[in-house]
Amino acid sequence: MFNVQSIREDFPILQTQVYGHPLVYLDNGATTQKPRQVVEAMVNQYYTANSNVHRGVHHLSTVATDMLEQSRETVRKFIHAASVDEIVFTRGTTEAVNLVASSFCQQEMQAGDEVIVSTMEHHSNIVPWQLQAERKGIVVKVIPMTDEGVLQMDAYEQLFTEKTKIVSVAHVSNVLGTVNPVAEIIRIAHTHGVPVLIDGAQSVPHMPVDVQALDADFYCFSGHKVYGPTGIGVLYGKREWLDRLPPYQGGGEMIGTVSFEKTTFNHLPYKFEAGTPDYVGATGLAAALDYVSAIGMDNIAAYEASLTQYALEQMAQIPGMRIFGPISASLTSQVDEYSSDNCQLSIVNCQLHRGSVISFLVGDIHHLDMGTLLDRLGIAVRTGHHCAEPLMHRLGIEGTVRASFGIYNTFEEIDAFVSGIKRVASMF
Ligand code: PLP
């Protein structure tokens, strides 16, 4: 059973006081806090098993190498990939998208070929394609969305031409919380013989993900958003694609043999891991995935859906409140307290409609003012365009206030957040 109080005890930073108030950390979409288990796993490795990996014959190097490969297996299991060869460690989601954009365009795309992204992408899934547009003359096409923040699937289907070579979309919007129908997006792309990259930065921390069930060709996420360390992330790629694509960066680890005449490349996944990998980061990431797996991704999805539903209910009662993103009728039923029954109900809603992200504005209060004044009450939210400027243009706004929830947030914290908004609103 989900026990939020015992989870909170694993996160020392949650004891922080901010301006005399207990910290209410609602900026999990930007990064999550780290449990002791993650920090201790990394400290232990530095204290007992630190050595560069893969090229050493000595004891410490062998131990560190085994730990890295064990971490890769933990990732494989977590997203249900078929093989560890399909798990590439990257610095994060951003590097993973850049890797695919660069290698895929080099090998598979000519000037005039097209990539399809969506209106609600993070800059990390726009700019890498635009760089390729400048370098190679590829064309970036965009799936439109409704005013409620739902992708228009009819329009999506019509974007395909014989020049469409890849689709790249977010699983969950970091601004709207929309859970995109990625299985359907992939299915449609495959009927056109087109592969799909899914940006899982905002989904992997919050719901079970099965890359084989989705039939994703590429899927990526960041460690730091799933209670792991910064500087490490994952690119999953189907073996057939990773085998086919050229390396992204050159250096140590990714080679077979090197001479000045000719270099051959290492087998998967090392072909895409140039240089010393962040092996301690990988240990921390594996500890984080073990941590959330022990709680259960279904339980996490259900609990966070209840929190989100409760927050939406409370927020909707504030005069002048404008919430961005899908709000379904099913989200208006009151959740008085957490129970597994409610959560079973909510998990369905969550998978259909929204993740644990709420972007909002109140009246004409500027998002920066709202964020700054909430901070004075100990409440940490993010303000601005959330690295999604094209989405802001579509919504006709400059920015929003964004609250995003994680496994350690409580219903009491939502109450504090809502009364904080009311207090700030009353000052204007
Ligand atoms: N994609 C989405 C949907 C995100 O929310 C983020 C970060 O907020 C990113 C990509 C980029 O992640 P990172 O900065 O960890 O590479």
Side-chain angles (χ1 to χ4, degrees):
M1 194 60 192
F2 195 94
N3 184 339
V4 70
Q5 287 312 329
S6 95
I7 290 171
R8 289 180 70 82
E9 283 165 21
D10 292 331
F11 292 81
I13 205 169
L14 297 180
Q15 301 311 313
T16 304
Q17 297 280 312
V18 179
Y19 302 114
H21 300 278
L23 168 69
V24 175
Y25 186 77
L26 304 181
D27 194 18
N28 296 285
T31 200
T32 50
Q33 301 303 342
K34 320 303 169 199
R36 287 179 204 283
Q37 289 83 339
V38 167
V39 178
E40 285 167 7
M42 296 174 74
V43 170
N44 282 343
Q45 179 160 21
Y46 277 128
Y47 282 166
T48 66
N50 179 50
S51 175
N52 208 331
V53 290
H54 287 146
R55 289 179 299 269
V57 289
H58 62 79
H59 171 74
L60 278 185
S61 179
T62 314
V63 173
T65 303
D66 288 349
M67 288 174 76
L68 175 65
E69 295 313 318
Q70 187 50 49
S71 299
R72 203 185 301 275
E73 166 61 16
T74 302
V75 173
R76 184 204 65 76
K77 256 193 357 217
F78 190 74
I79 58 171
H80 195 226
S83 162
V84 283
D85 295 350
E86 299 177 318
I87 304 298
V88 176
F89 285 119
T90 64
R91 284 196 299 122
T93 306
T94 303
E95 189 178 51
V97 179
N98 275 278
L99 188 164
V100 176
S102 170
S103 293
F104 191 92
C105 285
Q106 185 186 330
Q107 174 92 7
E108 306 286 328
M109 296 179 85
Q110 309 297 328
D113 283 346
E114 297 162 356
V115 53
I116 297 177
V117 300
S118 88
T119 311
M120 63 179 81
E121 298 309 316
H122 189 280
H123 295 164
S124 294
N125 194 26
I126 299 172
V127 183
W129 301 107
Q130 287 177 328
L131 290 177
Q132 296 305 323
E134 275 177 23
R135 285 172 197 160
K136 264 206 109 165
I138 68 160
V139 177
V140 181
K141 293 173 100 177
V142 183
I143 312 170
M145 66 172 208
T146 65
D147 290 343
E148 290 73 39
V150 175
L151 292 183
Q152 290 174 276
M153 295 297 282
D154 290 352
Y156 165 58
E157 285 211 68
Q158 283 160 20
L159 289 178
F160 283 88
T161 69
E162 72 286 353
K163 289 193 174 292
T164 309
K165 292 295 186 305
I166 189 164
V167 173
S168 190
V169 292
H171 195 159
V172 174
S173 160
N174 67 312
V175 177
L176 304 168
T178 312
V179 181
N180 288 319
V182 286
E184 183 62 3
I185 287 171
I186 292 167
R187 191 193 64 72
I188 291 167
H190 286 176
T191 64
H192 295 270
V194 171
V196 181
L197 165 62
I198 301 293
D199 168 355
Q202 298 293 342
S203 47
V204 163
H206 304 289
M207 59 183 68
V209 168
D210 182 329
V211 291
Q212 289 187 85
L214 289 174
D215 202 18
D217 301 280
F218 303 98
Y219 197 105
C220 56
F221 66 96
S222 300
H224 69 98
K225 294 185 197 285
V226 60
Y227 312 99
T230 51
I232 185 121
V234 170
L235 169 67
Y236 159 81
K238 279 183 185 164
R239 181 193 294 275
E240 65 199 80
W241 278 113
L242 293 183
D243 265 337
R244 202 160 135 177
L245 298 186
Y248 172 51
Q249 294 179 326
E253 303 270 355
M254 53 74 75
I255 52 93
T257 60
V258 178
S259 73
F260 282 112
E261 288 70 41
K262 181 168 172 59
T263 290
T264 60
F265 302 123
N266 208 339
H267 58 83
L268 292 178
Y270 311 112
K271 183 171 91 174
F272 292 103
E273 292 182 353
T276 300
D278 184 2
Y279 53 90
V280 177
T283 297
L285 173 59
L289 298 184
D290 284 342
Y291 184 84
V292 291
S293 297
I295 298 168
M297 291 311 296
D298 282 330
N299 291 332
I300 289 173
Y303 179 72
E304 291 182 0
S306 294
L307 273 183
T308 308
Q309 186 163 333
Y310 181 71
L312 286 168
E313 278 289 329
Q314 304 303 307
M315 291 168 73
Q317 290 163 25
I318 298 173
M321 174 61 68
R322 193 174 160 202
I323 292 169
F324 299 90
I327 303 193
S328 71
S330 51
L331 282 173
T332 58
S333 66
Q334 185 77 37
V335 176
D336 291 327
E337 58 183 339
Y338 171 73
S339 82
S340 52
D341 283 354
N342 283 338
C343 288
Q344 277 321 105
L345 180 73
S346 303
I347 193 169
V348 174
N349 296 339
C350 163
Q351 284 179 352
L352 285 178
H353 300 293
R354 61 146 82 225
S356 51
V357 175
I358 304 178
S359 277
F360 67 96
L361 290 169
V362 181
D364 56 5
I365 303 172
H366 196 275
H367 50 88
L368 276 178
D369 292 335
M370 177 62 81
T372 306
L373 291 168
L374 284 175
D375 178 55
R376 291 280 155 174
L377 301 170
I379 299 161
V381 292
R382 193 145 290 253
T383 59
H385 55 58
H386 314 295
C387 294
E389 284 191 56
L391 174 59
M392 295 299 128
H393 298 155
R394 166 65 180 83
L395 295 169
I397 54 176
E398 230 184 77
T400 72
V401 188
R402 183 186 73 180
S404 50
F405 312 126
I407 49 177
Y408 34 63
N409 291 126
T410 64
F411 287 87
E412 294 73 30
E413 287 183 318
I414 304 289
D415 289 339
F417 165 58
V418 170
S419 72
I421 301 172
K422 288 180 183 159
R423 189 153 157 206
V424 173
S426 72
M427 293 160 81
F428 282 81

